[in-house]
Each structure stands twice: as structure tokens, then as C-alpha cells.
Amino acid sequence: MEILDPALQAYLDNHCDPEPEALQKINRDTYLKVLKPHMLSGHYQGRVLSMLSKMIQPKLILEIGTFTGYSAICLAEGLAEGGILHTIEVNGEFEEMLNSHFASTNVDKKIKLHIGPAEAIIADFEDTIFDLVFIDADKRNNFKYFELIIDKVRPGGLIIIDNVLWKGKVFGTEKDADTENIRKLNEQIAVNTQVEKFILPVRDGLLIIRKK
């Protein structure tokens, strides 16, 4: 199911900043060349991510799940001077395309791509403290990633988790494993006293978490 009425979504799209030209091309390329192109953040969610990043002006961002690079570019728009975004993609077949997509933007020098399993790469950031983390990878491991990075986020920093409404299934009657995993994630975060949190009904649901 659609979370928002399509007419409302079109209105929202038409009343935010326009999609940058480089991102328009990445959007088109994704739909032409990649399986499951709907995984792309897209125009409206991309502007939300860009705005959240600009509001806190992070020096260090971690993204778990790069896909075709759209969200990484949006988040990198808000980096403070000299800031870096580290993004992790498990699928090595995306590397050439990602490098091309990043090179087409004005933030490519601010993005460092890591190819490999997220858990192993996160372990390499042993003494790193991030200002913002975006989790948009394999959904069954969302809470594991949250646990791995919560101590690597500064007080006042943000963690954003995508797809937490799961096309409305989380508040329906579905009992499949993916839906149950996301329900469990939402419930675990809801009672976590280390953080402030709310779900933003943007696209498929963004869980916005602020570390106390």
C-alpha cells in the first residue's frame, strides 16, 4: 500500500526544492539499469535527508547501504567544511557505477565508498565518532547495525533508519518475517532511553533518532 495518497505526494514533490540535475540522471539510470529501482530514496526523501544533514552540519557521516548512491549524495550536501561521508555497499558489482555517479556531482571528494559486509567495515571504525548515521541496508539486521553504531554516535547526533513503515504492513495484520523484524526494531527503539525518537511518514517511513 502507499503510505501517502499519490496526489498528496505529488503536491509535496512540487513544493520542495527541485531535484538537482545530477540526481535526476542517477534517478533515471537507476530505473533503467538496476533491479528493484524503487529502493532509491528519490526526490522528496532526498531533500528531507539533505535538509536534516544541513541542519546539523556533520563532520562525519556513516551510511549503511549505498545502493546507487542517491542518498549518499543528498546527505553529503550538508557536510561541514572538510567533512567526509563513509558509505558501505555489500554488492561489489555496484562499485564502478557508484564511482561514476559520485563523480558526476560536486560532492564526490567528500564521499568515501567501502565495499564489503557492513558489520566488518563498521568494526574498522574503532575510535571514530559520527555525527549522523543513515541505515538503509538489509532490513533483518537493522537493529544489529543500530547496536553496532550507537556508541559511535556523539551526543546530539542523529541516526536515521529507512523503511520502518514497510508499506504499511507494520500497523496491519501481516505476520511475515520481514514485517515482524521491522515491528520488533520499532518497538526496541521506542523503549530505548538512550535516545529521543519519532517516525516520519516520508515515503516508506524514516525513523529519526537523536542520541541524548
Side-chain angles (χ1 to χ4, degrees):
M1 64 175 287
E2 295 292 336
I3 301 302
L4 295 182
D5 181 279
L8 174 57
Q9 187 60 63
Y11 186 86
L12 295 173
D13 290 343
N14 291 330
H15 289 81
C16 68
D17 285 334
E19 186 177 35
E21 185 176 345
L23 289 175
Q24 291 178 32
K25 184 177 185 304
I26 292 169
N27 198 328
R28 288 194 300 271
D29 284 352
T30 300
Y31 274 84
L32 285 171
K33 301 175 182 178
V34 180
L35 292 174
K36 300 182 179 179
H38 62 278
M39 291 168 56
L40 184 92
S41 286
H43 176 201
Y44 186 74
Q45 181 171 307
R47 291 306 87 204
V48 171
L49 294 175
S50 176
M51 181 70 77
L52 290 170
S53 183
K54 288 172 181 174
M55 288 171 71
I56 67 169
Q57 296 186 301
K59 290 284 288 184
L60 277 177
I61 300 174
L62 175 64
E63 178 183 56
I64 304 172
T66 318
F67 193 45
T68 59
Y70 193 104
S71 54
I73 293 163
C74 295
L75 290 165
E77 291 173 2
L79 281 165
E81 186 68 29
I84 292 291
L85 180 146
H86 294 274
T87 184
I88 302 170
E89 174 53 48
V90 71
N91 188 347
E93 294 182 0
F94 280 20
E95 184 171 8
E96 183 178 352
M97 177 180 59
L98 283 166
N99 286 329
S100 174
H101 285 173
F102 295 149
S104 71
T105 74
N106 61 1
V107 294
D108 61 311
K109 299 295 191 295
K110 301 179 179 181
I111 298 175
K112 181 170 177 53
L113 174 64
H114 303 263
I115 300 292
E119 190 170 353
I121 292 168
I122 292 168
D124 291 338
F125 294 112
E126 187 175 355
D127 298 316
T128 305
I129 299 297
F130 294 98
D131 304 293
L132 192 160
V133 176
F134 182 46
I135 301 174
D136 188 16
D138 51 318
K139 308 309 170 189
R140 68 183 180 278
N141 285 318
N142 275 352
F143 192 69
K144 178 189 289 185
Y145 298 142
F146 173 82
E147 290 184 306
L148 288 172
I149 59 88
I150 185 63
D151 291 334
K152 300 179 186 295
V153 176
R154 66 165 172 83
L158 294 183
I159 302 167
I160 305 170
I161 306 178
D162 199 6
N163 303 113
V164 296
L165 293 180
W166 206 234
K167 297 298 183 186
K169 292 182 180 181
V170 292
F171 52 87
T173 59
E174 286 83 353
K175 300 293 185 182
D176 61 275
D178 287 338
T179 302
E180 293 286 22
N181 277 336
I182 293 171
R183 282 195 188 110
K184 185 176 179 181
L185 164 77
N186 292 342
E187 290 162 4
Q188 288 170 313
I189 300 296
V191 298
N192 188 307
T193 58
Q194 290 180 277
V195 299
E196 301 168 301
K197 77 293 285 184
F198 68 97
I199 294 175
L200 196 61
V202 170
R203 192 166 162 267
D204 198 24
L206 290 174
L207 180 52
I208 312 296
I209 302 164
R210 179 182 180 273
K211 185 174 178 180
K212 293 180 180 179

